[in-house]
């Protein structure tokens, strides 16, 4: 199975600032996704990170708020822009091979 | 159509007992049904997954039962242990794409 790492593992940020989360996979994967998990809730897909092209965003999520880069088949970044306390969540990257696996997550607190 | 409904929301089982969590879906195009186990502060870990060409899959103490006609699938944890206490999520996807998650079940196994 793919080994996925995320940086940072957690952060506390001020309202109005931005944070970039990195996701690194130990093998080349075609499908990579970014999810959000709000406190005590299930997981919701933010977007599909497409290599070499713009990400595909789900309803309710926009590129200006959550810009995503996917420069190659092993790496992606998610930026949470102009943060508010409502953005406090766990952000998770996921890859799909034959199975789908998740990274350890980035726990973000916005004050 | 894209929803996955999971029940129960919480479950308390005695050590050695059987834990059963159920999920139902509407979209017959779903072709991948994983279960994830999540401990507090961790990312979801793939526990077991099934595809609709089989009705049951067993890995150790964990079994998925799949009923295609009823559009339901369930997770059975045999000989439940306190270490199994976690939140469990069912999910579904189409052709390795984005996962649609159930609402989660918080399992507590009492010693």
């Amino acid at each position: 199975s793919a080994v996925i790492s995320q940086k940072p593992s957690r952060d506390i940020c001020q309202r109005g600032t931005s944070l970039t989360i990195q996701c690194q996979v130990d093998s080349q994967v075609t499908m990579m996704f970014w999810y959000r998990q709000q406190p005590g809730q299930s997981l919701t897909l933010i977007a599909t990170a497409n290599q070499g092209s713009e990400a595909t965003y789900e309803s309710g999520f926009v590129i200006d708020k959550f810009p995503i880069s996917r420069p190659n088949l092993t790496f992606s970044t998610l930026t949470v822009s102009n943060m508010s306390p409502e953005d406090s969540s766990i952000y998770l990257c996921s890859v799909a091979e034959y199975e789908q696996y998740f990274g350890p997550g980035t726990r973000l607190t916005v004050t | 159509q894209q929803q996955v409904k999971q029940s129960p929301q919480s479950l308390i089982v005695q050590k050695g007992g059987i834990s059963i969590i159920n999920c139902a879906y509407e979209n017959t195009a779903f072709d991948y049904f994983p279960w994830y186990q999540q401990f507090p502060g961790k990312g979801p870990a793939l526990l077991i997954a099934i595809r609709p060409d089989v009705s049951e899959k067993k890995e150790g103490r964990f079994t998925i039962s799949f009923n295609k006609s009823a559009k339901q699938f369930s997770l059975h944890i045999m000989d439940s242990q306190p270490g199994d206490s976690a939140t469990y999520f069912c999910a579904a996807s189409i052709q390795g794409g984005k996962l649609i998650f159930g609402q989660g079940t918080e399992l507590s196994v009492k010693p």
Side-chain angles (χ1 to χ4, degrees):
Chain A
S1 64
V3 177
I4 307 167
S5 59
Q6 286 185 232
K7 289 181 182 178
S9 59
R10 58 176 62 225
D11 207 339
I12 301 172
C13 300
Q14 296 289 325
R15 179 195 298 261
T17 62
S18 298
L19 176 72
T20 295
I21 302 167
Q22 298 180 6
C23 178
Q24 180 75 52
V25 189
D26 69 341
S27 59
Q28 293 187 338
V29 293
T30 303
M31 303 295 288
M32 185 177 284
F33 308 93
W34 286 97
Y35 289 80
R36 181 176 74 181
Q37 186 176 27
Q38 295 178 300
Q41 301 296 313
S42 187
L43 288 82
T44 301
L45 181 68
I46 298 172
T48 302
N50 302 308
Q51 193 267 326
S53 64
E54 195 170 282
T56 304
Y57 289 84
E58 296 298 303
S59 176
F61 297 96
V62 295
I63 187 171
D64 289 347
K65 176 67 175 178
F66 298 101
I68 288 171
S69 78
R70 177 93 191 268
N72 56 54
L73 293 176
T74 65
F75 185 79
S76 178
T77 66
L78 168 74
T79 299
V80 185
S81 303
N82 188 26
M83 287 183 286
S84 67
E86 292 71 34
D87 295 319
S88 297
S89 294
I90 300 172
Y91 292 86
L92 298 140
C93 69
S94 167
V95 302
E97 301 177 301
Y98 184 72
E99 310 285 6
Q100 291 202 25
Y101 302 99
F102 283 83
T106 295
R107 183 179 295 271
L108 171 62
T109 302
V110 183
T111 61
Chain B
Q1 266 261 330
Q2 284 289 83
Q3 278 189 323
V4 177
K5 295 183 179 180
Q6 183 173 344
S7 62
Q9 187 173 353
S10 63
L11 181 62
I12 299 174
V13 173
Q14 290 296 122
K15 178 182 176 181
I18 302 173
S19 304
I20 302 174
I21 306 170
N22 301 299
C23 284
Y25 63 96
E26 288 295 324
N27 191 343
T28 56
F30 286 140
D31 60 4
Y32 176 67
F33 303 90
W35 285 91
Y36 292 89
Q37 179 189 57
Q38 187 176 33
F39 293 104
K42 304 292 186 183
L46 179 65
L47 196 58
I48 187 172
I50 198 167
R51 287 176 165 81
D53 52 339
V54 296
S55 60
E56 186 174 281
K57 183 175 181 180
K58 183 176 180 178
E59 289 184 3
R61 295 186 294 111
F62 302 94
T63 300
I64 297 181
S65 297
F66 183 79
N67 187 328
K68 189 173 182 178
S69 61
K71 291 184 283 186
Q72 295 176 349
F73 59 110
S74 61
L75 175 69
H76 291 64
I77 306 175
M78 312 299 288
D79 187 25
S80 298
Q81 299 296 312
D84 297 330
S85 298
T87 300
Y88 293 80
F89 293 97
C90 65
S93 71
I94 303 170
Q95 294 185 350
K98 63 183 182 182
L99 287 168
I100 308 299
F101 279 86
Q103 297 86 341
T105 297
E106 190 172 345
L107 172 65
S108 177
V109 181
K110 298 299 185 184

